[in-house]
Amino acid sequence: MARLPRASWLRTALAERIVRRALSGLELRVRLGTTETLGLGGPVLDVHEPKAFFRRIGAGGLIGFGESYMAGEWSATDLVGVLTVLADRAASLIPAPLQKLRALWARKQPAAQRNTPEGSRENIRHHYDLSNDLFALFLDETLSYSSALFRGFPADRSLLAAAQHRKIDRLLDEARVGPGTRLLEIGTGWGELAVRAAGRGARVHTVTLSQEQRQLAVERIRDAGFEDRVTVELLDYRRVVGEYDAVVSVEMIEAVGAEFWPEYFMILDRLLAPDGRIALQAITMPHERMLASKNTFTWIQKYVFPGGLLPSSEAIEQITTERTALRVRGREGFGPHYAETLRLWRERFEEQAPEVGALGFDQTFRRLWTFYLAYSEAGFRSGYLDVQQLLLTKETSR
């Protein structure tokens, strides 16, 4: 990561001019080296190597901004605070004329990251097959890797497991999961939702593309005494067959990709029994920002979630209405709860830095993950991102 990318002097100079102008109007204190300060005051962003910082942004835009942090060329004592200010102004950081020319200067998503059945397997492995031991270092004992639902703020780490169960139970309640329910879960994770559903007497079919997650989920389900009620398959959602009384999926739609959203909902429609219910938990972004960025290659896609894209509420409504008999019957947003969840994960991850290193992950990886967790937290704190639980049922007239 220390090697600087190639960038023309013109592109670098233009990037520096745009970035300086943007930073000067933000409630930040940006220290460029030891000789210059920009901004209106606020959280401090220390740029230790200004030339490298601007060159990376010139070469890669916002990808370069994240890479510059990974390389240690800038830092912030209050990283979330800095990123929250930036997230709050995400739509206006780049001048309007350049926004209109986005298709000319922004990098396109690589074809290799398309979420075809083969591409999805590789995209999921990139993130979820890193190491079960790594995730166990910063998640709570439920191994739930999605937003919790707290009773109040600030959240306490000792209450995180209970807040995760509260989230899971609300989804299961919405889907009316109980004794004898035929439940499909798309995206097994490490099996906590399947265990909780089986504990209600449901018969669970849960599918995942992560070999690492499946292996540990099977062990956890067996240890809980529910292996006779839960089947865990290494299977793409497009290959699921059967009919189910309920479908539950937690933060999996983000890995589907806009190209495949219609197929995803059409498959849910096909799999759901006539009187069935679907409970989804999804991270969402504003519709206009989703449209503007859906074809752009981002830092998150390059380093964290290949092929990932957050839907908007409008996109979900439009696709389900036009392509399926499914209708959104309930919606509850709780973005601030995700900000707190991410804070607890990030603090724990930072505390466990020596253990992360002992697993074989170097300093660049640790800076990458610190930035990813802080960047995500900032998105929710600014209101740029939301997380919602959605209830869908079939329209009876069709």
Side-chain angles (χ1 to χ4, degrees):
M1 182 51 62
R3 173 183 283 185
L4 288 172
R6 293 181 180 180
S8 70
W9 69 267
L10 179 60
R11 192 177 177 107
T12 299
L14 181 60
E16 180 173 352
R17 181 175 179 179
I18 292 171
V19 171
R20 283 177 173 273
R21 176 182 175 183
L23 294 178
S24 295
L26 295 179
E27 293 183 343
L28 293 174
R29 186 180 178 205
V30 183
R31 297 192 292 223
L32 297 173
T34 58
T35 60
E36 187 178 3
T37 301
L38 304 175
L40 305 177
V44 177
L45 192 165
D46 276 309
V47 181
H48 312 295
E49 301 179 43
K51 289 184 179 180
F53 175 75
F54 290 122
R55 183 168 169 180
R56 287 194 192 274
I57 295 175
L62 290 178
I63 292 178
F65 178 72
E67 289 177 337
S68 187
Y69 182 84
M70 291 163 60
E73 293 157 3
W74 69 270
S75 63
T77 302
D78 182 6
L79 181 58
V80 173
V82 167
L83 295 176
T84 299
V85 172
L86 295 173
D88 191 51
R89 296 281 294 276
S92 58
L93 283 175
I94 298 174
L98 286 180
Q99 288 277 10
K100 295 178 181 178
L101 298 174
R102 187 185 189 102
L104 298 178
W105 58 263
R107 293 180 62 182
K108 304 297 183 183
Q109 295 181 28
Q113 289 191 7
R114 286 182 64 229
N115 286 296
T116 61
E118 298 75 18
S120 291
R121 283 196 298 271
E122 292 306 313
N123 290 340
I124 292 299
R125 287 171 185 164
H126 176 89
H127 188 82
Y128 293 96
D129 284 353
L130 280 170
S131 164
N132 286 336
D133 292 335
L134 170 69
F135 288 98
L137 286 177
F138 68 92
L139 299 179
D140 66 273
E141 59 265 34
T142 71
L143 291 182
S144 297
Y145 190 39
S146 53
S147 180
L149 187 59
F150 299 97
R151 291 194 183 279
F153 302 137
D156 185 90
R157 184 182 301 166
S158 66
L159 302 176
L160 182 53
Q164 292 290 5
H165 282 159
R166 188 175 300 112
K167 174 269 303 292
I168 291 172
D169 289 344
R170 189 181 186 281
L171 286 164
L172 296 178
D173 288 345
E174 284 293 291
R176 294 180 181 168
V177 174
T181 300
R182 298 170 298 171
L183 172 65
L184 170 66
E185 180 190 21
I186 300 178
T188 307
W190 287 278
E192 190 69 17
L193 188 146
V195 166
R196 226 148 158 89
R200 294 182 174 212
R203 306 210 54 97
V204 184
H205 182 199
T206 179
V207 298
T208 180
L209 291 178
S210 169
Q211 294 179 345
E212 289 278 323
Q213 286 190 321
R214 181 186 181 277
Q215 180 179 347
L216 185 52
V218 168
E219 293 176 9
R220 298 179 76 230
I221 290 163
R222 183 180 61 243
D223 292 345
F226 294 127
E227 59 185 333
D228 61 327
R229 296 186 191 174
V230 181
T231 302
V232 186
E233 278 198 277
L234 197 65
L235 187 70
D236 191 281
Y237 69 91
R238 285 162 280 213
R239 295 179 179 169
V240 177
V241 297
E243 184 177 78
Y244 299 89
D245 305 309
V247 179
V248 175
S249 188
V250 181
E251 295 178 26
M252 179 273 175
I253 191 174
E254 300 84 351
V256 170
E259 177 185 1
F260 297 98
W261 286 340
E263 183 179 13
Y264 171 78
F265 283 108
M266 290 167 68
I267 288 170
L268 294 187
D269 190 4
R270 170 175 59 81
L271 295 171
L272 189 67
D275 295 324
R277 296 163 73 89
I278 299 172
L280 301 181
Q281 183 162 309
I283 303 172
T284 59
M285 67 188 303
H287 189 63
E288 64 278 5
R289 296 302 301 159
M290 187 273 291
L291 292 176
S293 62
K294 71 176 183 177
N295 295 317
T296 303
F297 191 43
T298 66
W299 181 88
I300 285 284
Q301 291 167 335
K302 182 174 182 178
Y303 289 103
V304 187
F305 294 112
L309 180 68
L310 306 182
S312 66
S313 298
E314 292 88 338
I316 293 173
E317 294 269 6
Q318 181 179 352
I319 291 168
T320 52
T321 299
E322 294 179 355
R323 306 294 289 273
T324 76
L326 301 176
R327 297 294 180 269
V328 177
R329 304 301 186 191
R331 182 192 308 276
E332 179 171 331
F334 51 108
H337 294 255
Y338 218 150
E340 285 295 280
T341 304
L342 284 156
R343 176 181 65 81
L344 295 174
W345 290 347
R346 176 179 52 81
E347 291 174 352
R348 183 63 174 161
F349 182 85
E350 292 173 346
E351 291 170 3
Q352 296 283 64
E355 288 76 10
V356 174
L359 290 175
F361 297 101
D362 63 15
Q363 184 178 14
T364 298
F365 176 90
R366 297 194 294 274
R367 288 185 68 85
L368 185 163
W369 266 66
T370 297
F371 187 82
Y372 147 57
L373 293 170
Y375 177 90
S376 301
E377 181 183 343
F380 290 101
R381 293 210 180 278
S382 67
Y384 180 73
L385 302 179
D386 195 10
V387 61
Q388 303 180 28
Q389 287 188 352
L390 307 174
L391 171 65
L392 295 91
T393 62
K394 285 195 176 184
E395 191 175 46
T396 56
S397 61
R398 288 188 59 170

